[in-house]
Amino acid sequence: MLNICATSLADCLFRNYPIDEKQKPVYIYGFQLCLSSAAAMISIFLLSCLLGNISSSFTFSAPFVSIRLFSGGYHAKTYGRCFIISSAVFLSCFSLANVIYEYNLDFVCPVMICLSLCVIVILTPIKHKNHPLSDATYHKNKKISRVLAFSESLCILVMHFFSIAPSLTSMASVTLTAVAVMMIVPKCLERG
């Protein structure tokens, strides 16, 4: 289904714009990525609506997508699995954040943030054998992901210590931890 939609979009683009036909697979792949990412984001938004907490989708998506875009990490082998894993990670983060908030366990947030930041800084970016990076891109992604991780961690810590939106702070802390875990998983899989 995803491939059919991506191919249709690429065909439409090629009919209306003079683009080299040899580039068509690249455009199809790009459309597949965009459609898959959009489906995952819509799913997360709908889940947050069903859970009665729309802000959690934004609190999850902002750090999760922005850092992972440059840091890399675990990637599912199919778009369907990616969709399921993204939704499952969101639901896990939402559940854990609610436990932290409801039971006043927010003292774990700074620990989670600091440990996650260390993991991200040390491991970023994760090299993927199917998507090799040039040295220049590797170093650029390393800088960007570190800056994003530092700035987002600092914002979450400030929110925590000044008790600004504690439920969102819990969600952001857990999400940062999920990013770190998604970076550790491929390292463990390549050793196993």
Side-chain angles (χ1 to χ4, degrees):
M1 175 74 160
L2 185 66
N3 190 43
I4 293 168
C5 291
T7 302
S8 295
L9 288 169
D11 288 341
C12 180
L13 183 68
F14 277 77
R15 275 193 306 275
N16 296 308
Y17 296 96
I19 302 171
D20 184 8
E21 189 71 28
K22 293 175 189 170
Q23 295 295 317
K24 193 171 188 178
V26 174
Y27 283 90
I28 291 171
Y29 176 69
F31 281 127
Q32 286 175 337
L33 284 176
C34 289
L35 292 171
S36 171
S37 298
M41 291 297 106
I42 290 168
S43 168
I44 288 166
F45 179 75
L46 292 175
L47 286 170
S48 70
C49 289
L50 289 172
L51 294 166
N53 190 334
I54 295 173
S55 61
S56 66
S57 67
F58 301 109
T59 307
F60 172 81
S61 298
F64 193 77
V65 172
S66 65
I67 296 173
R68 278 183 49 83
L69 186 63
F70 298 100
S71 70
Y74 176 77
H75 288 283
K77 293 182 180 178
T78 66
Y79 293 115
R81 286 183 188 166
C82 179
F83 178 83
I84 292 167
I85 290 170
S86 297
S87 297
V89 170
F90 168 73
L91 289 172
S92 299
C93 288
F94 182 85
S95 300
L96 183 55
N98 277 336
V99 168
I100 290 169
Y101 177 70
E102 292 296 325
Y103 292 100
N104 293 318
L105 301 172
D106 62 331
F107 61 89
V108 301
C109 291
V111 175
M112 290 169 44
I113 294 165
C114 292
L115 289 175
S116 300
L117 178 60
C118 289
V119 168
I120 294 167
V121 166
I122 291 168
L123 296 181
T124 194
I126 300 292
K127 292 183 180 182
H128 194 278
K129 63 181 176 182
N130 295 334
H131 301 284
L133 299 173
S134 68
D135 285 341
T137 302
Y138 177 83
H139 291 294
K140 180 186 80 169
N141 286 0
K142 180 181 276 201
K143 287 179 187 174
I144 292 171
S145 62
R146 285 179 173 174
V147 167
L148 286 170
F150 273 114
S151 58
E152 290 178 19
S153 296
L154 183 60
C155 287
I156 300 167
L157 284 170
V158 167
M159 287 175 66
H160 170 77
F161 288 116
F162 288 99
S163 298
I164 301 169
S167 65
L168 296 180
T169 304
S170 298
M171 184 66 175
S173 302
V174 172
T175 301
L176 199 63
T177 302
V179 171
V181 169
M182 297 291 275
M183 293 178 74
I184 293 170
V185 168
K187 292 292 188 182
C188 293
L189 291 175
E190 70 184 33
R191 290 184 184 153

